[in-house]
Amino acid sequence: MKNYYDLLGVKQEASAEEIKKAFRERAKRLHPDIAGKGAESAMRKLLSAYEVLSNPERRFEYDRVYSRFAVKAGFDYRVWLHEQGDDPVSQAKLIFFELFHLQEDEAIDIWRRNGGIDFPMEKYLERGDWMDCLFTLAEELDRRGSAYEAFMLLVILVKEERRLPYFRHFFSEIETYLKELVRLRLKSQVDTTVWVECLQTLLALGFSAKDELRWTRSLQRVKA
């Protein structure tokens, strides 16, 4: 199975310029006027790869996770996980494995079949794997128009990171991503009751006074 570097056709030590050039070349071939609408999935994967590898902090996180968990030598780890049936430990590991081998739709399907937001993956994965998995899953859900599910996963991450730091230097990216999701996409995808609940959740997370003021005003407008 391919990883992000394979998808772009570059080596793992590729420079930022090489990654950008490879992305542009492949993006041209996947343009709808050339490849047709059937290339939408391939283009989404290409964009995901470029977004991660063009950002130094996200690239560092990807390399760390991929080298620690996704690369399994000596046998077909994916097949082995599938053979374990409905065992929740194997299901959780399979979600993580599929996410980092560009099988995002399959990962989401497995996650939802196991309960989605209610699937307690923290019970079945090491803490670092679980947190990396949740962030990547949230991104993929958001890309597919599931902002609420993405929001709920990011809230879990923020709470856990505040309890015991794991992402550290990368955490500011997660906070920014959560705020952008709320500002740009969440409200249009949920009803008023859920929107109010989301705002109240944000206010309990311990963001800056400026952020809390903005969300409080949004809450007051809804209740007015």
Side-chain angles (χ1 to χ4, degrees), residues 54-85:
S54 62
N55 181 311
E57 292 188 346
R58 297 193 62 184
R59 183 177 180 180
F60 174 83
E61 284 293 319
Y62 179 80
D63 289 346
R64 183 167 63 85
V65 172
Y66 197 84
S67 64
R68 184 179 75 242
F69 182 83
V71 178
K72 299 288 181 180
F75 73 107
D76 194 325
Y77 187 59
R78 180 175 183 268
V79 170
W80 183 82
L81 287 172
H82 274 287
E83 290 175 346
Q84 306 313 300

Side-chain angles (χ1 to χ4, degrees), residues 4-220:
Y4 282 168
Y5 294 99
D6 295 333
L7 191 63
L8 287 171
V10 297
K11 296 180 179 179
Q12 192 164 352
E13 62 271 17
S15 67
E17 188 58 36
E18 288 172 329
I19 289 171
K20 182 185 293 186
K21 181 180 179 181
F23 169 73
R24 287 175 176 172
E25 290 175 350
R26 283 158 177 73
K28 289 177 183 177
R29 294 200 291 269
L30 291 174
H31 191 280
D33 293 341
I34 298 174
K37 292 184 177 180
E40 289 179 357
S41 177
M43 187 64 191
R44 185 171 63 239
K45 290 178 184 292
L46 189 69
L47 282 168
S48 296
Y50 180 67
E51 287 174 0
V52 170
L53 298 186
S54 62
N55 181 311
E57 292 188 346
R58 297 193 62 184
R59 183 177 180 180
F60 174 83
E61 284 293 319
Y62 179 80
D63 289 346
R64 183 167 63 85
V65 172
Y66 197 84
S67 64
R68 184 179 75 242
F69 182 83
V71 178
K72 299 288 181 180
F75 73 107
D76 194 325
Y77 187 59
R78 180 175 183 268
V79 170
W80 183 82
L81 287 172
H82 274 287
E83 290 175 346
Q84 306 313 300
D86 296 330
D87 168 44
V89 175
S90 298
Q91 291 286 290
K93 290 182 177 180
L94 185 58
I95 292 167
F96 195 20
F97 187 87
E98 299 286 38
L99 281 174
F100 282 88
H101 283 90
L102 307 180
Q103 301 299 313
E104 299 92 347
D105 290 330
E106 178 68 12
I108 290 171
D109 286 344
I110 296 168
W111 177 71
R112 285 179 171 155
R113 288 201 302 269
N114 282 275
I117 294 170
D118 295 324
F119 183 38
M121 288 194 291
E122 68 276 13
K123 292 183 179 180
Y124 313 121
L125 296 174
E126 292 182 7
R127 183 173 182 265
D129 291 342
W130 165 61
M131 294 180 75
D132 287 319
C133 184
L134 254 60
F135 178 65
T136 304
L137 191 59
E139 285 189 306
E140 295 302 330
L141 287 164
D142 184 27
R143 290 189 180 104
R144 288 159 177 76
S146 299
Y148 177 70
E149 288 175 307
F151 171 82
M152 294 300 291
L153 294 184
L154 292 170
V155 166
I156 292 171
L157 280 183
V158 170
K159 288 180 178 178
E160 182 64 15
E161 181 72 14
R162 298 209 195 289
R163 185 186 73 83
L164 181 64
Y166 165 71
F167 289 109
R168 299 182 187 278
H169 68 285
F170 183 63
F171 185 54
S172 61
E173 295 246 355
I174 296 175
E175 290 181 309
T176 298
Y177 183 63
L178 172 59
K179 289 187 284 188
E180 287 181 351
L181 183 149
V182 171
R183 182 171 60 87
L184 300 175
R185 296 178 292 282
L186 181 61
K187 186 177 181 180
S188 64
Q189 295 184 30
V190 298
D191 60 30
T192 302
T193 300
V194 174
W195 175 240
V196 168
E197 291 174 352
C198 290
L199 290 174
Q200 292 172 334
T201 297
L202 286 169
L203 288 170
L205 288 180
F207 278 93
S208 70
K210 181 179 180 181
D211 289 326
E212 290 186 356
L213 178 59
R214 181 171 67 252
W215 296 326
T216 298
R217 287 174 175 171
S218 295
L219 195 58
Q220 290 171 340

